[in-house]
Amino acid sequence: MTSLYRDLLLLIISTILAAIISLFIGHFVYLLLIICIVYSLRQAFLLHQMEQWLKAGEKSNYPTTYGAWAEIYYYIFRLKKANKKRKKQLRQIIEQFRQSTAALPDAIVALGEHDQISWFNNAAKNTLGLRKKDTGQSFPYLVRTPDFIEFLSNKDPASVLSIKAPTNERITLQLKIVSYAKNAHLLVAHDVTLLKNIERMRKDFVDNISHELRTPLTVLKGYLETLTDMDDNHSALLSHSLQQMNNQTLRMQYLVDDLLLLANLETTKTQHKCVEIDPLLKQVCQESSALEQLNSRIELFIDTDIKIIGDAQELRGAFSNLIVNALKYSAEDSIVTVQWYLSGENLILDITDRGEGIPEHEIPKITERFYRANAQRNHETRGTGLGLAIVKHTLSRHDAQLQIRSQSGKGSCFSCIFPKQRFCYSFSDK
Ligand code: ADP
């Protein structure tokens, strides 16, 4: 029998008893009223007892009683016990998480809705210089560089920002924003000092070696030119050797020049001027045809007069590389089309040739340094394998992209795509 039935049975027995007593003394209604009052008082007392017990929290045991109330106490007690256990487990998990993130070598800062700092680990104290009192503060007030403020407001998970550590100028940090809940973000700062140092050493090495090679090459070339002039074609072997030596010295010179150009692109800041593309392209097309000693087979179409914000010298170099390639890797009687036009939100330069094209699997590789597709043919054509790496680098300095479409045997189309933020509508230099 359940406790509820037991309580009901008690009520029925009390009523029957009242009825029996009322047979002797009468006043059945009064007796019933007394039973109801006693019953209600008991319920009120038990409710009060439960309230006291719940208020006391987990400190006291549940009161002993009988009937339905005993069962209610028991079930609430069981729920409380399970809750207590779950809370303990959760506390342990949170503690473990805090300990592990605190021990991470990367600085981690949890940011709230308005970029206020809600939590940070030990590494953030050491590298970002955060203190306990900074909790609740807004991050932009702590690090005031415009780059950082823009990076934080954009919250682009794909972008990274390199900054000097506020606590130590010699440490370079790479920052990333990770979103983990609605309006909640993690700022992760990774120490990339070693990588940056290795990268700088590599650049310095290439830069130095290129500079050092320049002088001996110039001397060598000078002597070779003198010897070639002195050659009276008596010995075919000597003439051939001089020719080969001249060609290889020239090749090395191109290589050194391209390496220095790349190093320059990596280290110097680009100019921001309004560049008129129309005259620039006309000049490049003329020069390219002359340079390659080829008949003018370039068709130039200029469909827009919108200018580009950038560096004229760098853009000239990149466009020239692409146009010379188009001439170099296509038949001497085929047409190369150069087209400058506006398409939607972008300005595009298409350089299309009807040459040999590039095998599909080689397209992603040809912008890598020193990569030359079609190895056998490339043995014969002059080149350093650095041209497209220079183009790609120059375009990325102008927020532009290089798109390559090509079909083996049919030709290639190299597109330089400039975004809207690079458009320049003014007539004077910016
Ligand atoms: P290179 O000095 O060899 O021309 P680039 O970096 O300019 O170096 O080009 C890399 C390789 O990409 C070239 O060796 C060539 O195989 C391929 N390539 C570039 N442009 C074209 C083109 N228009 N048509 C076919 N192949 C091309």
Side-chain angles (χ1 to χ4, degrees), residues 76-91:
I76 292 179
F77 176 71
R78 257 182 44 179
L79 270 176
K80 277 176 86 172
K81 221 173 148 184
N83 236 353
K84 197 175 159 187
K85 203 172 156 191
R86 218 172 302 137
K87 256 186 177 169
K88 200 176 162 190
Q89 279 171 347
L90 262 174
R91 222 176 293 133

Side-chain angles (χ1 to χ4, degrees), residues 198-299:
I198 294 172
E199 180 72 6
R200 211 194 53 240
M201 275 162 65
R202 182 190 65 81
K203 275 186 196 151
D204 286 352
F205 175 74
V206 174
D207 207 15
N208 290 341
I209 210 115
S210 312
H211 269 297
E212 291 303 318
L213 280 173
R214 240 185 177 178
T215 322
L217 269 175
T218 317
V219 175
L220 207 66
K221 201 164 158 263
Y223 278 117
L224 278 171
E225 273 167 11
T226 315
L227 284 174
T228 313
D229 289 345
M230 285 165 62
D231 182 26
D232 47 13
N233 281 331
H234 279 328
S235 157
L237 178 66
L238 183 67
S239 301
H240 178 72
S241 307
L242 283 174
Q243 172 79 42
Q244 285 297 312
M245 283 155 86
N246 256 322
N247 287 349
Q248 293 307 318
T249 319
L250 204 65
R251 201 170 155 232
M252 263 171 89
Q253 232 172 6
Y254 284 135
L255 203 68
V256 167
D257 287 347
D258 277 358
L259 279 172
L260 277 172
L261 186 65
L262 253 181
N264 232 18
L265 285 177
E266 279 169 342
T267 46
T268 57
K269 279 206 164 216
T270 184
Q271 281 195 42
H272 280 236
K273 287 188 169 180
C274 251
V275 182
E276 257 188 280
I277 302 297
D278 183 353
L280 189 141
L281 277 177
K282 278 182 183 148
Q283 195 192 354
V284 171
C285 288
Q286 246 174 19
E287 283 170 4
S288 305
S289 300
L291 199 76
E292 290 295 305
Q293 291 147 11
L294 296 160
N295 302 326
S296 179
R297 53 187 175 96
I298 304 173
E299 282 180 358

Side-chain angles (χ1 to χ4, degrees), residues 164-172:
K164 294 273 167 226
T167 51
N168 187 346
E169 277 277 292
R170 276 182 291 179
I171 294 177
T172 308

Side-chain angles (χ1 to χ4, degrees), residues 370-419:
F370 299 112
Y371 191 86
R372 305 194 73 203
N374 199 341
Q376 203 194 337
R377 183 262 293 131
N378 268 329
H379 200 63
E380 292 140 28
T381 47
R382 206 187 64 207
T384 59
L386 288 170
L388 289 182
I390 292 171
V391 172
K392 204 174 156 191
H393 218 92
T394 304
L395 291 184
S396 89
R397 275 159 73 90
H398 288 80
D399 305 316
Q401 279 180 3
L402 177 67
Q403 196 183 66
I404 306 167
R405 280 163 292 155
S406 187
Q407 251 186 313
S408 260
K410 290 203 168 165
S412 317
C413 177
F414 286 74
S415 304
C416 308
I417 305 166
F418 293 86

